[in-house]
Amino acid sequence: MAATIARATGGRAPHDGPPAGPAAGAARRPGRVRRVGLPYLLLLPALLLELLVHLVPMVIGTVMSFKELTQFFIRDWGAAPWSGLDNYTVAVDFDGPVGADLLHSFLITVAFTVLSVGLCWALGTAAAICMQDTFRGRGLLRALFLVPYALPVYAAVITWVFMFQHDNGLVNHVLHDQLGLTDKPSFWLIGDNAFVALLTVSVWKGWPFAFLIVMAGLQNIPRELYEAAALDGAGVWQQIRRITLPSLRPVNQVLVLVLFLWTFNDFNTPYVLFGKSAPASADLISVHIYQESFATWNFGRGSAMSVLLLLFLLVVTGVHLAVTSRGRRVRTRA
């Protein structure tokens, strides 16, 4: 029997493994290389598209910010003379007209972003917590809450433009004609009310995203924690304060950062709502840079403002990540 098994296995014992040695190592090495290199190969198309869509225009815009690029050099922008840091000097000279207007736009954008992000987060969190309990029609309500986020931006904002009309808009019809909250129909798209109109549209459009993210984060909180807290006599507000919000801290950190970046850079909403020239009360920095570039035809100065905006957002992002990482390390040690 042993001889038969030996002849069937080529002279090797049945329990003998594959031959070891340099040949086996060489055979395993190409397989390991393929496994390690395959993820990078799959990411290569996305990296190339990212390079073409974002990095190349970013580099070109940075180069343009150091040039005196006006309408006279549109055909051949490379022939525009170098201006050095002149565009940046004019942009940050807050005593001059250009710098003062940029500072005003920056402050308006900061106030608008803080209010919009705060309201979006509050509404989204409240709605997500309310949607956790099982009741009839919960799926339908969840779908309806996501409609503003699913609608195309231009279609949604154009609808709000009609609703904010002075004479026959739905907003004035409800507030003035039906509820009598105002003495006369208001102008929502001009004057100081433009900021309120812009904030309303931004919150209406952005809070479903916060609702979606928070609702996904709530799925990871064990129900046993709430049951144990209820047995200990904790009320609803105590459960939200002691269980829900601390458990959602990592989700909220990312959510607030994403909402901040999206809102601060938002161009579509004010542009569709007000057109090329936004009112002073709603002069967001994205529209301001657009006007500086395409209304005054000073592309070099507009590019310098864009670079300054990029640097500001990078600083905010870095500070946010540093603070959240430090807080995470402190909680881990505790």
Side-chain angles (χ1 to χ4, degrees), residues 52 78 81 121 144 148 164-165 195 203 229 281:
L52 293 175
W121 176 84
L144 290 177
F164 281 128
Q165 292 298 317
F195 182 86
V203 173
S281 62

Side-chain angles (χ1 to χ4, degrees), residues 24 27 30 45 147 171 178 196 218 277 280 287:
V147 168
V171 175
Q178 294 186 346
V196 179
L218 289 174
S277 180
V287 180

Side-chain angles (χ1 to χ4, degrees), residues 44-127:
L44 184 60
L47 293 176
L48 292 177
L49 290 176
E50 182 72 17
L51 179 66
L52 293 175
V53 174
H54 290 96
L55 296 182
V56 172
M58 189 183 303
V59 173
I60 294 176
T62 304
V63 174
M64 290 170 56
S65 66
F66 295 101
K67 284 178 170 288
E68 190 178 343
L69 183 58
T70 59
Q71 68 268 32
F72 303 107
F73 301 96
I74 294 297
R75 179 172 298 181
D76 186 12
W77 69 272
W82 290 92
S83 61
L85 297 176
D86 291 346
N87 292 325
Y88 293 92
T89 302
V90 173
V92 298
D93 182 14
F94 301 133
D95 295 329
V98 176
D101 291 341
L102 181 62
L103 178 61
H104 173 266
S105 178
F106 174 78
L107 295 178
I108 291 293
T109 307
V110 170
F112 163 75
T113 303
V114 171
L115 290 175
S116 178
V117 171
L119 291 174
C120 287
W121 176 84
L123 291 176
T125 302

Side-chain angles (χ1 to χ4, degrees), residues 148-159 201 204-205 266 268-269 272:
Y149 182 68
L151 284 176
V153 176
Y154 287 90
V157 178
I158 288 174
T159 303
V201 177
W204 178 84
K205 185 172 58 70
D266 190 13
N268 295 328
T269 301
V272 178

Side-chain angles (χ1 to χ4, degrees), residues 27-44:
R28 289 193 299 266
R29 194 174 300 115
R32 188 184 303 112
V33 172
R34 284 194 297 268
R35 288 194 302 270
V36 173
L38 181 60
Y40 297 99
L41 183 62
L42 296 176
L43 288 175
L44 184 60

Side-chain angles (χ1 to χ4, degrees), residues 247-313:
S247 300
L248 289 176
R249 185 179 288 111
V251 175
N252 286 329
Q253 290 172 352
V254 178
L255 174 62
V256 169
L257 179 60
V258 172
L259 286 176
F260 180 87
L261 296 177
W262 283 0
T263 307
F264 207 96
N265 278 321
D266 190 13
F267 173 81
N268 295 328
T269 301
Y271 183 81
V272 178
L273 199 61
F274 305 115
K276 297 181 180 179
S277 180
S281 62
D283 184 25
L284 298 188
I285 196 168
S286 57
V287 180
H288 186 85
I289 294 175
Y290 170 83
Q291 293 174 345
E292 186 68 32
S293 300
F294 294 95
T296 63
W297 296 93
N298 197 326
F299 296 98
R301 191 181 300 164
S303 299
M305 294 180 180
S306 299
V307 173
L308 291 175
L309 174 60
L310 174 63
L311 294 177
F312 170 76
L313 295 179

